[in-house]
Amino acid sequence: MTYDRLVCANCAAPVSEGRCPVCRANRERLQQVNFFTGLNPTALIALLVVLVAAVVLLAHQTV
Ligand SMILES: [Zn+2]
């Protein structure tokens, strides 16, 4: 996901330019998201596998 084209609801400028505190807060938050997804793709896949396994196990137990 890219934040380059996001427009701020507060100042109506691109969030990537960081013209107001809302822009800067959003930009920082989005960069953190990018940082985590870029850093741990393997961990995210592992988490997904664990979640799917848990759902399958629960479904198996109820049936
Ligand atoms: Zn703004």
Side-chain angles (χ1 to χ4, degrees), residues 2-62:
T2 177
Y3 59 90
D4 290 340
R5 292 181 188 177
L6 283 181
V7 174
C8 177
N10 189 43
C11 67
V15 170
S16 57
E17 290 184 14
R19 289 187 184 181
C20 76
V22 175
C23 286
R24 286 193 286 273
N26 279 325
R27 188 175 57 173
E28 201 158 307
R29 184 173 57 83
L30 290 164
Q31 281 177 341
Q32 280 179 346
V33 169
N34 285 339
F35 174 74
F36 281 120
T37 54
L39 190 70
N40 289 320
T42 311
L44 286 173
I45 291 167
L47 189 68
L48 196 69
V49 169
V50 169
L51 282 171
V52 170
V55 168
V56 168
L57 280 172
L58 284 171
H60 206 66
Q61 280 178 351
T62 49

